[in-house]
mmCIF file of all heavy atoms in Angstrom:
data_model
loop_
_atom_site.group_PDB
_atom_site.id
_atom_site.type_symbol
_atom_site.label_atom_id
_atom_site.label_comp_id
_atom_site.label_asym_id
_atom_site.label_seq_id
_atom_site.Cartn_x
_atom_site.Cartn_y
_atom_site.Cartn_z
ATOM 1 N N GLY A 1 -15.360 -5.889 12.609
ATOM 2 C CA GLY A 1 -15.619 -4.611 13.270
ATOM 3 C C GLY A 1 -14.636 -3.522 12.916
ATOM 4 O O GLY A 1 -14.411 -2.596 13.712
ATOM 5 N N ALA A 2 -14.065 -3.593 11.698
ATOM 6 C CA ALA A 2 -13.042 -2.619 11.333
ATOM 7 C C ALA A 2 -13.614 -1.238 11.053
ATOM 8 O O ALA A 2 -12.929 -0.227 11.254
ATOM 9 C CB ALA A 2 -12.273 -3.116 10.107
ATOM 10 N N VAL A 3 -14.855 -1.164 10.589
ATOM 11 C CA VAL A 3 -15.403 0.131 10.164
ATOM 12 C C VAL A 3 -15.455 1.136 11.305
ATOM 13 O O VAL A 3 -14.952 2.263 11.168
ATOM 14 C CB VAL A 3 -16.793 -0.065 9.525
ATOM 15 C CG1 VAL A 3 -17.497 1.279 9.325
ATOM 16 C CG2 VAL A 3 -16.650 -0.785 8.186
ATOM 17 N N PRO A 4 -16.028 0.815 12.482
ATOM 18 C CA PRO A 4 -16.007 1.798 13.578
ATOM 19 C C PRO A 4 -14.591 2.174 14.002
ATOM 20 O O PRO A 4 -14.326 3.344 14.319
ATOM 21 C CB PRO A 4 -16.758 1.074 14.709
ATOM 22 C CG PRO A 4 -17.580 0.042 14.035
ATOM 23 C CD PRO A 4 -16.793 -0.387 12.842
ATOM 24 N N ALA A 5 -13.689 1.208 14.002
ATOM 25 C CA ALA A 5 -12.306 1.490 14.406
ATOM 26 C C ALA A 5 -11.638 2.450 13.433
ATOM 27 O O ALA A 5 -10.938 3.386 13.845
ATOM 28 C CB ALA A 5 -11.513 0.180 14.494
ATOM 29 N N LEU A 6 -11.829 2.234 12.131
ATOM 30 C CA LEU A 6 -11.203 3.092 11.132
ATOM 31 C C LEU A 6 -11.768 4.506 11.170
ATOM 32 O O LEU A 6 -11.026 5.494 11.065
ATOM 33 C CB LEU A 6 -11.386 2.482 9.749
ATOM 34 C CG LEU A 6 -10.619 1.170 9.483
ATOM 35 C CD1 LEU A 6 -11.087 0.532 8.186
ATOM 36 C CD2 LEU A 6 -9.125 1.421 9.439
ATOM 37 N N PHE A 7 -13.079 4.633 11.349
ATOM 38 C CA PHE A 7 -13.666 5.970 11.391
ATOM 39 C C PHE A 7 -13.341 6.689 12.700
ATOM 40 O O PHE A 7 -13.337 7.927 12.745
ATOM 41 C CB PHE A 7 -15.173 5.898 11.154
ATOM 42 C CG PHE A 7 -15.524 5.852 9.703
ATOM 43 C CD1 PHE A 7 -15.793 4.645 9.069
ATOM 44 C CD2 PHE A 7 -15.539 7.013 8.936
ATOM 45 C CE1 PHE A 7 -16.093 4.604 7.718
ATOM 46 C CE2 PHE A 7 -15.833 6.980 7.593
ATOM 47 C CZ PHE A 7 -16.116 5.771 6.972
ATOM 48 N N SER A 8 -13.073 5.923 13.735
ATOM 49 C CA SER A 8 -12.573 6.548 14.964
ATOM 50 C C SER A 8 -11.220 7.210 14.719
ATOM 51 O O SER A 8 -10.935 8.297 15.232
ATOM 52 C CB SER A 8 -12.461 5.494 16.074
ATOM 53 O OG SER A 8 -11.856 6.037 17.230
ATOM 54 N N MET A 9 -10.363 6.556 13.905
ATOM 55 C CA MET A 9 -9.077 7.141 13.551
ATOM 56 C C MET A 9 -9.259 8.387 12.688
ATOM 57 O O MET A 9 -8.529 9.371 12.831
ATOM 58 C CB MET A 9 -8.224 6.102 12.823
ATOM 59 C CG MET A 9 -7.847 4.909 13.664
ATOM 60 S SD MET A 9 -6.984 3.625 12.726
ATOM 61 C CE MET A 9 -5.498 4.500 12.284
ATOM 62 N N VAL A 10 -10.246 8.356 11.790
ATOM 63 C CA VAL A 10 -10.497 9.527 10.949
ATOM 64 C C VAL A 10 -10.948 10.702 11.799
ATOM 65 O O VAL A 10 -10.489 11.843 11.616
ATOM 66 C CB VAL A 10 -11.547 9.191 9.865
ATOM 67 C CG1 VAL A 10 -11.924 10.442 9.081
ATOM 68 C CG2 VAL A 10 -11.015 8.125 8.923
ATOM 69 N N ARG A 11 -11.839 10.447 12.738
ATOM 70 C CA ARG A 11 -12.324 11.532 13.603
ATOM 71 C C ARG A 11 -11.207 12.117 14.458
ATOM 72 O O ARG A 11 -11.119 13.326 14.638
ATOM 73 C CB ARG A 11 -13.458 11.025 14.511
ATOM 74 C CG ARG A 11 -14.779 10.835 13.816
ATOM 75 C CD ARG A 11 -15.918 10.717 14.831
ATOM 76 N NE ARG A 11 -15.680 9.618 15.759
ATOM 77 C CZ ARG A 11 -16.128 8.386 15.561
ATOM 78 N NH1 ARG A 11 -16.820 8.098 14.469
ATOM 79 N NH2 ARG A 11 -15.887 7.440 16.442
ATOM 80 N N SER A 12 -10.347 11.251 14.987
ATOM 81 C CA SER A 12 -9.278 11.730 15.863
ATOM 82 C C SER A 12 -8.144 12.388 15.089
ATOM 83 O O SER A 12 -7.348 13.133 15.657
ATOM 84 C CB SER A 12 -8.724 10.564 16.697
ATOM 85 O OG SER A 12 -8.061 9.622 15.862
ATOM 86 N N GLY A 13 -8.048 12.087 13.786
ATOM 87 C CA GLY A 13 -6.972 12.660 12.976
ATOM 88 C C GLY A 13 -5.681 11.879 13.053
ATOM 89 O O GLY A 13 -4.714 12.207 12.365
ATOM 90 N N GLU A 14 -5.627 10.808 13.870
ATOM 91 C CA GLU A 14 -4.408 10.013 14.010
ATOM 92 C C GLU A 14 -4.355 8.976 12.895
ATOM 93 O O GLU A 14 -5.197 8.088 12.818
ATOM 94 C CB GLU A 14 -4.377 9.331 15.374
ATOM 95 C CG GLU A 14 -3.115 8.544 15.626
ATOM 96 C CD GLU A 14 -3.096 7.914 17.007
ATOM 97 O OE1 GLU A 14 -4.014 8.176 17.796
ATOM 98 O OE2 GLU A 14 -2.152 7.166 17.296
ATOM 99 N N SER A 15 -3.353 9.095 12.017
ATOM 100 C CA SER A 15 -3.215 8.195 10.868
ATOM 101 C C SER A 15 -4.478 8.184 10.018
ATOM 102 O O SER A 15 -4.882 7.150 9.483
ATOM 103 C CB SER A 15 -2.867 6.770 11.326
ATOM 104 O OG SER A 15 -1.632 6.729 11.983
ATOM 105 N N ALA A 16 -5.123 9.348 9.898
ATOM 106 C CA ALA A 16 -6.403 9.417 9.188
ATOM 107 C C ALA A 16 -6.259 9.036 7.723
ATOM 108 O O ALA A 16 -7.085 8.304 7.177
ATOM 109 C CB ALA A 16 -6.989 10.823 9.313
ATOM 110 N N SER A 17 -5.200 9.530 7.053
ATOM 111 C CA SER A 17 -5.040 9.222 5.632
ATOM 112 C C SER A 17 -4.824 7.733 5.415
ATOM 113 O O SER A 17 -5.273 7.165 4.419
ATOM 114 C CB SER A 17 -3.865 10.015 5.053
ATOM 115 O OG SER A 17 -4.159 11.389 5.028
ATOM 116 N N ARG A 18 -4.110 7.098 6.333
ATOM 117 C CA ARG A 18 -3.896 5.649 6.230
ATOM 118 C C ARG A 18 -5.223 4.913 6.386
ATOM 119 O O ARG A 18 -5.517 3.964 5.642
ATOM 120 C CB ARG A 18 -2.900 5.203 7.287
ATOM 121 C CG ARG A 18 -1.510 5.757 7.090
ATOM 122 C CD ARG A 18 -0.647 5.493 8.306
ATOM 123 N NE ARG A 18 0.682 6.049 8.140
ATOM 124 C CZ ARG A 18 1.564 6.190 9.120
ATOM 125 N NH1 ARG A 18 1.249 5.811 10.342
ATOM 126 N NH2 ARG A 18 2.753 6.693 8.886
ATOM 127 N N ALA A 19 -6.014 5.321 7.376
ATOM 128 C CA ALA A 19 -7.310 4.669 7.571
ATOM 129 C C ALA A 19 -8.206 4.867 6.360
ATOM 130 O O ALA A 19 -8.944 3.958 5.963
ATOM 131 C CB ALA A 19 -7.978 5.226 8.825
ATOM 132 N N LEU A 20 -8.142 6.044 5.741
ATOM 133 C CA LEU A 20 -8.986 6.324 4.588
ATOM 134 C C LEU A 20 -8.642 5.431 3.399
ATOM 135 O O LEU A 20 -9.518 5.101 2.592
ATOM 136 C CB LEU A 20 -8.856 7.799 4.196
ATOM 137 C CG LEU A 20 -9.609 8.775 5.102
ATOM 138 C CD1 LEU A 20 -9.148 10.207 4.847
ATOM 139 C CD2 LEU A 20 -11.114 8.659 4.890
ATOM 140 N N LEU A 21 -7.364 5.048 3.270
ATOM 141 C CA LEU A 21 -6.992 4.124 2.200
ATOM 142 C C LEU A 21 -7.771 2.817 2.309
ATOM 143 O O LEU A 21 -8.297 2.295 1.329
ATOM 144 C CB LEU A 21 -5.491 3.830 2.259
ATOM 145 C CG LEU A 21 -4.530 4.885 1.720
ATOM 146 C CD1 LEU A 21 -3.097 4.467 2.005
ATOM 147 C CD2 LEU A 21 -4.730 5.097 0.241
ATOM 148 N N VAL A 22 -7.868 2.286 3.528
ATOM 149 C CA VAL A 22 -8.584 1.030 3.751
ATOM 150 C C VAL A 22 -10.088 1.249 3.608
ATOM 151 O O VAL A 22 -10.802 0.411 3.051
ATOM 152 C CB VAL A 22 -8.237 0.453 5.138
ATOM 153 C CG1 VAL A 22 -8.882 -0.911 5.334
ATOM 154 C CG2 VAL A 22 -6.723 0.335 5.312
ATOM 155 N N ILE A 23 -10.567 2.397 4.097
ATOM 156 C CA ILE A 23 -11.998 2.696 4.011
ATOM 157 C C ILE A 23 -12.454 2.715 2.562
ATOM 158 O O ILE A 23 -13.546 2.224 2.229
ATOM 159 C CB ILE A 23 -12.285 4.043 4.703
ATOM 160 C CG1 ILE A 23 -12.207 3.873 6.230
ATOM 161 C CG2 ILE A 23 -13.655 4.589 4.308
ATOM 162 C CD1 ILE A 23 -12.261 5.176 6.999
ATOM 163 N N CYS A 24 -11.642 3.282 1.675
ATOM 164 C CA CYS A 24 -12.014 3.325 0.253
ATOM 165 C C CYS A 24 -12.236 1.925 -0.302
ATOM 166 O O CYS A 24 -13.158 1.701 -1.103
ATOM 167 C CB CYS A 24 -10.925 4.038 -0.547
ATOM 168 S SG CYS A 24 -10.860 5.819 -0.286
ATOM 169 N N ASN A 25 -11.407 0.986 0.105
ATOM 170 C CA ASN A 25 -11.587 -0.393 -0.374
ATOM 171 C C ASN A 25 -12.829 -1.034 0.220
ATOM 172 O O ASN A 25 -13.595 -1.722 -0.467
ATOM 173 C CB ASN A 25 -10.357 -1.233 -0.029
ATOM 174 C CG ASN A 25 -9.224 -1.034 -1.007
ATOM 175 O OD1 ASN A 25 -9.397 -0.418 -2.041
ATOM 176 N ND2 ASN A 25 -8.063 -1.557 -0.681
ATOM 177 N N LEU A 26 -13.050 -0.845 1.527
ATOM 178 C CA LEU A 26 -14.210 -1.460 2.176
ATOM 179 C C LEU A 26 -15.513 -0.911 1.620
ATOM 180 O O LEU A 26 -16.530 -1.613 1.600
ATOM 181 C CB LEU A 26 -14.149 -1.233 3.690
ATOM 182 C CG LEU A 26 -12.960 -1.855 4.430
ATOM 183 C CD1 LEU A 26 -13.097 -1.645 5.930
ATOM 184 C CD2 LEU A 26 -12.827 -3.342 4.127
ATOM 185 N N ALA A 27 -15.492 0.346 1.167
ATOM 186 C CA ALA A 27 -16.709 0.950 0.612
ATOM 187 C C ALA A 27 -17.081 0.363 -0.740
ATOM 188 O O ALA A 27 -18.155 0.666 -1.262
ATOM 189 C CB ALA A 27 -16.519 2.462 0.488
ATOM 190 N N CYS A 28 -16.208 -0.462 -1.305
ATOM 191 C CA CYS A 28 -16.489 -1.079 -2.612
ATOM 192 C C CYS A 28 -17.384 -2.301 -2.498
ATOM 193 O O CYS A 28 -17.836 -2.825 -3.519
ATOM 194 C CB CYS A 28 -15.182 -1.464 -3.303
ATOM 195 S SG CYS A 28 -14.180 -0.061 -3.765
ATOM 196 N N CYS A 29 -17.629 -2.783 -1.288
ATOM 197 C CA CYS A 29 -18.497 -3.950 -1.135
ATOM 198 C C CYS A 29 -19.770 -3.535 -0.404
ATOM 199 O O CYS A 29 -19.789 -2.570 0.367
ATOM 200 C CB CYS A 29 -17.790 -5.077 -0.381
ATOM 201 S SG CYS A 29 -17.400 -4.733 1.344
ATOM 202 N N SER A 30 -20.839 -4.253 -0.651
ATOM 203 C CA SER A 30 -22.140 -3.879 -0.081
ATOM 204 C C SER A 30 -22.127 -3.941 1.441
ATOM 205 O O SER A 30 -22.724 -3.088 2.111
ATOM 206 C CB SER A 30 -23.232 -4.798 -0.640
ATOM 207 O OG SER A 30 -22.939 -6.164 -0.343
ATOM 208 N N GLU A 31 -21.430 -4.946 2.019
ATOM 209 C CA GLU A 31 -21.360 -5.028 3.479
ATOM 210 C C GLU A 31 -20.656 -3.815 4.065
ATOM 211 O O GLU A 31 -21.059 -3.278 5.095
ATOM 212 C CB GLU A 31 -20.618 -6.300 3.915
ATOM 213 C CG GLU A 31 -21.238 -7.588 3.410
ATOM 214 C CD GLU A 31 -20.489 -8.103 2.191
ATOM 215 O OE1 GLU A 31 -20.187 -7.287 1.295
ATOM 216 O OE2 GLU A 31 -20.203 -9.308 2.150
ATOM 217 N N GLY A 32 -19.572 -3.392 3.385
ATOM 218 C CA GLY A 32 -18.832 -2.234 3.868
ATOM 219 C C GLY A 32 -19.654 -0.967 3.778
ATOM 220 O O GLY A 32 -19.673 -0.156 4.716
ATOM 221 N N ARG A 33 -20.372 -0.761 2.662
ATOM 222 C CA ARG A 33 -21.196 0.439 2.527
ATOM 223 C C ARG A 33 -22.281 0.480 3.583
ATOM 224 O O ARG A 33 -22.539 1.527 4.183
ATOM 225 C CB ARG A 33 -21.805 0.501 1.124
ATOM 226 C CG ARG A 33 -20.811 0.832 0.038
ATOM 227 C CD ARG A 33 -21.521 1.202 -1.263
ATOM 228 N NE ARG A 33 -22.247 0.083 -1.835
ATOM 229 C CZ ARG A 33 -21.732 -0.796 -2.675
ATOM 230 N NH1 ARG A 33 -20.446 -0.716 -3.012
ATOM 231 N NH2 ARG A 33 -22.453 -1.773 -3.172
ATOM 232 N N SER A 34 -22.921 -0.644 3.820
ATOM 233 C CA SER A 34 -23.984 -0.693 4.821
ATOM 234 C C SER A 34 -23.440 -0.368 6.213
ATOM 235 O O SER A 34 -24.039 0.428 6.955
ATOM 236 C CB SER A 34 -24.631 -2.076 4.813
ATOM 237 O OG SER A 34 -25.627 -2.176 5.811
ATOM 238 N N ALA A 35 -22.294 -0.976 6.564
ATOM 239 C CA ALA A 35 -21.706 -0.718 7.883
ATOM 240 C C ALA A 35 -21.268 0.735 8.025
ATOM 241 O O ALA A 35 -21.388 1.337 9.096
ATOM 242 C CB ALA A 35 -20.514 -1.653 8.109
ATOM 243 N N MET A 36 -20.774 1.323 6.948
ATOM 244 C CA MET A 36 -20.317 2.717 7.010
ATOM 245 C C MET A 36 -21.483 3.684 7.156
ATOM 246 O O MET A 36 -21.412 4.650 7.919
ATOM 247 C CB MET A 36 -19.500 3.057 5.761
ATOM 248 C CG MET A 36 -18.142 2.385 5.725
ATOM 249 S SD MET A 36 -17.227 2.808 4.231
ATOM 250 C CE MET A 36 -15.885 1.618 4.345
ATOM 251 N N LEU A 37 -22.572 3.440 6.423
ATOM 252 C CA LEU A 37 -23.734 4.309 6.555
ATOM 253 C C LEU A 37 -24.321 4.208 7.955
ATOM 254 O O LEU A 37 -24.785 5.209 8.514
ATOM 255 C CB LEU A 37 -24.778 3.944 5.499
ATOM 256 C CG LEU A 37 -24.361 4.211 4.045
ATOM 257 C CD1 LEU A 37 -25.430 3.718 3.082
ATOM 258 C CD2 LEU A 37 -24.080 5.682 3.811
#
C-alpha cells in the first residue's frame, strides 16, 4: 500500500521530492503503474 501513502506526501508537500524518488522506481513495474493510475 505504498502508492497512496507516497502520493499523499506529494500532495501535502512534506518530503515530496523524497517520495518522488521512490515513486519513479515503482512506476517502472506494471503493478506500480496500475496502482498509480
Side-chain angles (χ1 to χ4, degrees):
V3 169
L6 292 169
F7 276 98
S8 174
M9 296 174 65
V10 174
R11 285 196 303 268
S12 67
E14 183 178 354
S15 297
S17 292
R18 294 169 181 167
L20 284 166
L21 283 174
V22 185
I23 286 171
C24 288
N25 279 350
L26 297 185
C28 294
C29 66
S30 58
E31 302 100 315
R33 288 193 294 271
S34 177
M36 289 180 191
L37 294 176

